[in-house]
Amino acid sequence: MSLRSPTPITERNGRLELLLIALAVLSTATRVLDLTTLHFVFKPLTMLVAITLVAARSYSTGAGARFDVCLMAALAASLAGDVFLMLPGNYFIPGLASFLVAHLFYIALFRQGVPWFPSRRALAGTLGIGAAMYAWVWGGLGDPVLRVAVAAYVSVIALMVAQAIGRAATVRDAAAKAVGLGACVFMLSDALIAVNRFVQPLPLVSLWVLASYYTAQILIVHYARPVAPAAPATLA
């Protein structure tokens, strides 16, 4: 019995994953250390490598084309949000809108092969957490446009997390559970941004926000795979 050596494609994808992790660390470190010029390089480059990784993996396997397109679209919208939020000036609303679009693509991604929101408890829980977070930051949302934008965003990310958790509960494998965890960590990252911006400054907020954000994206990119279609069902 012989052990199969890694193929060139597997090695390439592995190197891209290591590069993605390294860039995420560099993006976080340069933001924490206020190395603005380097941060402006590493932050967008991180998501560009994530998109390249998914594209390369999709090309090499030839499977799950629609799934990978949704994933790359979510990452591209995340890239746009990253750029808006790091630019000087007030680009918070465009950044928020970009990530809202990213979460819509993630919802479409996590819907493939499973029913809509198969876990009603997860749906109720994430919407409840979203409503509580919105109530907490309400006092800092002076602009009516901002209130509507944040309400829409909170609703969409809560639905994204509910769909990811429901998918994990339906598929019941380690990869789907890791994706569900990634979605939860994504919501945590956004909650930290909201509290820091609209309630009170948090110590080392850049570290916690970017560390959780990149953890979420890397978990999703690494573990998200197409699943076989399931019969419609609802989990209590």
Side-chain angles (χ1 to χ4, degrees):
M1 181 178 176
S2 60
L3 296 177
R4 184 177 297 176
S5 301
T7 66
I9 291 173
T10 302
E11 291 179 347
R12 179 202 63 199
N13 292 346
R15 287 195 295 269
L16 283 172
E17 286 199 346
L18 289 175
L19 178 60
L20 174 60
I21 294 169
L23 287 170
V25 171
L26 289 170
S27 175
T28 303
T30 52
R31 179 65 185 88
V32 172
L33 297 173
D34 262 341
L35 303 174
T36 305
T37 302
L38 290 174
H39 184 65
F40 278 16
V41 174
F42 290 128
K43 191 173 187 184
L45 193 56
T46 305
M47 284 298 102
L48 283 172
V49 169
I51 294 167
T52 302
L53 170 60
V54 175
R57 193 172 63 202
S58 178
Y59 179 78
S60 63
T61 61
R66 180 169 169 260
F67 188 89
D68 290 327
V69 166
C70 278
L71 179 52
M72 285 186 285
L75 294 170
S78 298
L79 169 60
D82 284 344
V83 171
F84 279 124
L85 293 180
M86 78 176 183
L87 289 175
N90 186 9
Y91 293 95
F92 183 75
I93 294 294
L96 198 69
S98 298
F99 277 109
L100 187 149
V101 171
H103 292 310
L104 290 174
F105 279 115
Y106 276 133
I107 291 171
L109 182 78
F110 302 148
R111 167 65 178 83
Q112 293 180 42
V114 300
W116 284 110
F117 308 113
S119 172
R120 295 294 184 255
R121 283 184 292 188
L123 180 61
T126 58
L127 288 174
I129 291 170
M133 279 300 306
Y134 187 68
W136 192 10
V137 303
W138 171 264
L141 304 173
D143 184 353
V145 174
L146 190 59
R147 288 178 177 177
V148 172
V150 172
Y153 183 82
V154 168
S155 300
V156 170
I157 193 171
L159 293 174
M160 184 276 287
V161 177
Q163 185 66 38
I165 295 173
R167 178 179 181 270
T170 301
V171 178
R172 297 184 180 183
D173 65 9
K177 291 175 183 177
V179 170
L181 175 61
C184 293
V185 176
F186 212 136
M187 194 172 188
L188 170 63
S189 179
D190 285 345
L192 292 172
I193 293 174
V195 171
N196 183 74
R197 186 179 183 92
F198 302 118
V199 181
Q200 64 180 33
L202 298 175
L204 293 175
V205 66
S206 296
L207 173 62
W208 309 125
V209 166
L210 288 176
S212 54
Y213 169 67
Y214 286 127
T215 297
Q217 294 280 34
I218 290 169
L219 282 171
I220 293 171
V221 167
H222 181 77
Y223 287 104
R225 296 291 186 277
V227 297
T234 299
L235 301 176

